[in-house]
Amino acid sequence: MDCCCFVVTAQVDSAVGEKEVGDMKKRVSIVEGDITKQKVDAIVNAANNSLLGGGGVDGAIHRAAGSELLEETRQMGGCPTGEARVSKGYRLPARWVIHTAGPIWAGGHKNEDNLLAGCYRNCLKMAVEHGAKTIAFPSISTGAYRFPLERATEIAMGETGKFLENDNILKKVVFVCFGERVLKAYQDAFEKIL
Ligand code: APR
């Protein structure tokens, strides 16, 4: 009897486990494209500590949102590395922009991994606090800030997986990749970690 129950339980447990992981995998997608065009509730901006705009994805988001975005972020008094601040999306399809300042890569001995993990954790938390159901991330810190791409994608996937395990509000987390190389790195991290 025990043997039979054990087998049934084991099958059910593994099925439930697979179902949960499967559901979580369904809540994450990886696309190639321009984050300013994403039709999601919130997009994340890979900003700098000043929140006064810049190049890369920061520049693209400010250009697409219009000058009101800078007027709002100018009032925020900056953003420490690893933290996040929220603004309206203005002319963007997204209702919110969550600005985060990623770490500048300095060889990996200046707490860069934890600071980057904090960017993802704090942006996800802030999105849920503002009622967002869908959020899109760029590849934070892997451009001008020179964070190694594969290392960054594994941190992004790991933090997202941990967050989604304990959250049932967010319906979709989209990683928006600029170019084939970034897309492949995210796809590999998705398979490896989620
Ligand atoms: N959509 C999606 N991804 C984009 C876009 C876009 N429109 N534009 C650039 N990217 C990608 C880059 O190709 C890179 O993969 O975003 C990733 C992050 O690169 P950066 O924008 O350089 O951001 P980061 O490395 O975090 O450096 C931040 O650069 O732009 C300045 O003001 C910003 O000082 C800050 C620093």
Side-chain angles (χ1 to χ4, degrees), residues 21-178:
V21 171
D23 285 351
M24 186 160 73
K25 277 198 158 185
K26 284 195 201 103
R27 292 164 69 189
V28 174
S29 64
I30 298 163
V31 300
E32 186 172 6
D34 179 346
I35 199 165
T36 65
K37 305 268 192 297
Q38 300 300 310
K39 292 182 173 51
V40 291
D41 295 336
I43 61 169
V44 172
N45 180 20
N48 55 53
N49 298 122
S50 74
L51 297 186
L52 298 179
V57 73
D58 196 3
I61 287 174
H62 274 273
R63 280 192 299 278
S67 58
E68 293 164 295
L69 178 59
L70 180 58
E71 282 166 28
E72 183 175 358
T73 58
R74 201 192 297 279
Q75 309 304 319
M76 293 181 176
C79 178
T81 300
E83 293 188 21
R85 299 289 185 270
V86 180
S87 73
K88 296 186 195 73
Y90 298 105
R91 294 187 199 152
L92 287 160
R95 182 173 173 203
W96 308 105
V97 180
I98 301 178
H99 307 261
T100 190
I104 298 172
W105 183 251
H109 308 294
K110 295 255 190 305
N111 201 32
E112 295 100 314
D113 286 3
N114 290 331
L115 288 168
L116 185 61
C119 289
Y120 286 96
R121 199 166 44 247
N122 289 318
C123 287
L124 289 162
K125 181 166 165 286
M126 203 155 261
V128 169
E129 285 167 357
H130 282 73
K133 298 272 189 295
T134 55
I135 182 172
F137 282 98
S139 182
I140 302 169
S141 278
T142 64
Y145 283 2
R146 319 299 304 159
F147 203 109
L149 179 58
E150 285 68 21
R151 192 176 178 132
T153 55
E154 293 193 7
I155 290 168
M157 284 299 161
E159 285 306 314
T160 301
K162 271 189 271 181
F163 188 91
L164 293 179
E165 269 171 8
N166 302 302
D167 166 79
N168 56 14
I169 307 285
L170 277 181
K171 298 293 170 251
K172 186 63 88 177
V173 179
V174 186
F175 291 97
V176 185
C177 305
F178 224 44

